Every structure is written in C-alpha cells, then in structure tokens.
C-alpha cells in the first residue's frame, strides 16, 4: 500500500496550535476537485457532500482526532487532539462527529 502525503497542506505546514478551529470553510481546490469528480462519475449529492467533508478534514487535520459539526459551507471544529476530543467521547452530543482523518 502506498501512502501519499501532501507536504503543502496546512496539516504539514502549521504547528498543531496554529491549525484552524471554529468554522473552516471548504477549500476551493477541494470543492472544485469534488465537483469535477462528481460530474465525471455521477456522484450523488450526499456522496459528494461527504467527500467534501472528509477531504477537508484530511487536508487540515490528517492523523489528529477532531470533534466537529457539519455546516452548510464547511465544518465547525470544536476540538482537536486526544485530550480535547475526549470530552466529546465521554459526553456524546447530537450532530457532533468525531474522527481521526487519514
């Protein structure tokens, strides 16, 4: 299995403390890439939306646990890292997702 790492992504350019929190809009290059793929392969709307979310999470937070909520134009990052995310694991809340994007 081959792993590709984009060393130009924020995840690999910024310190953990500097990664964005709060509302993170979908990056334009990801929106365009998903739109192109959706047109080429006839992705359904839900699949395209989940692709936007998952690719945005990986672009910013690859390998880091994230608690987030989906928003119409992006994701709202509520917690990053094992320590912060633990609260959301202990006390699950409707609409809040936890993942460790890869």
């Amino acid at each position: 299995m081959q792993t590709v790492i984009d060393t130009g992504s924020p995840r690999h350019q910024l310190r953990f403390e500097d990664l964005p929190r709060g509302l993170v809009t979908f990056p334009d290059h990801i929106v365009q890439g998903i739109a192109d793929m959706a047109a080429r392969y006839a992705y359904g709307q839900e699949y395209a939306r989940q692709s936007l979310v998952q690719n945005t999470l990986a672009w910013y937070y690859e390998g880091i646990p994230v608690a987030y909520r989906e928003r119409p134009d992006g994701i709202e990052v509520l917690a990053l890292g094992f320590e912060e995310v633990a609260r959301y694991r202990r006390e699950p809340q409707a609409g809040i997702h936890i993942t460790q994007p890869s």
Side-chain angles (χ1 to χ4, degrees):
M1 181 169 108
Q2 181 178 7
T3 302
V4 177
I5 295 174
D6 185 347
T7 57
S9 72
R11 168 64 181 99
H12 297 284
Q13 293 290 317
L14 300 174
R15 297 177 316 141
F16 174 82
E17 297 80 15
D18 297 330
L19 291 170
R21 295 167 187 257
L23 181 60
V24 177
T25 57
F26 297 128
D28 291 338
H29 73 282
I30 292 176
V31 170
Q32 186 59 53
I34 299 298
D36 292 347
M37 297 293 281
R40 174 185 261 174
Y41 299 108
Y43 290 173
Q45 186 174 1
E46 183 59 29
Y47 184 82
R49 169 69 185 191
Q50 287 310 306
S51 293
L52 276 174
V53 170
Q54 294 307 313
N55 281 280
T56 298
L57 286 164
W59 177 249
Y60 287 105
Y61 311 108
E62 180 180 30
I64 300 172
V66 181
Y68 71 97
R69 185 173 11 228
E70 289 187 33
R71 296 294 183 208
D73 57 346
I75 55 175
E76 180 183 4
V77 176
L78 305 168
L80 287 179
F82 292 103
E83 189 174 321
E84 290 181 19
V85 169
R87 172 181 152 217
Y88 293 96
R89 289 192 194 281
R90 285 190 304 270
E91 302 169 14
Q93 299 175 34
I96 296 178
H97 307 280
I98 298 172
T99 191
Q100 188 168 339
S102 56

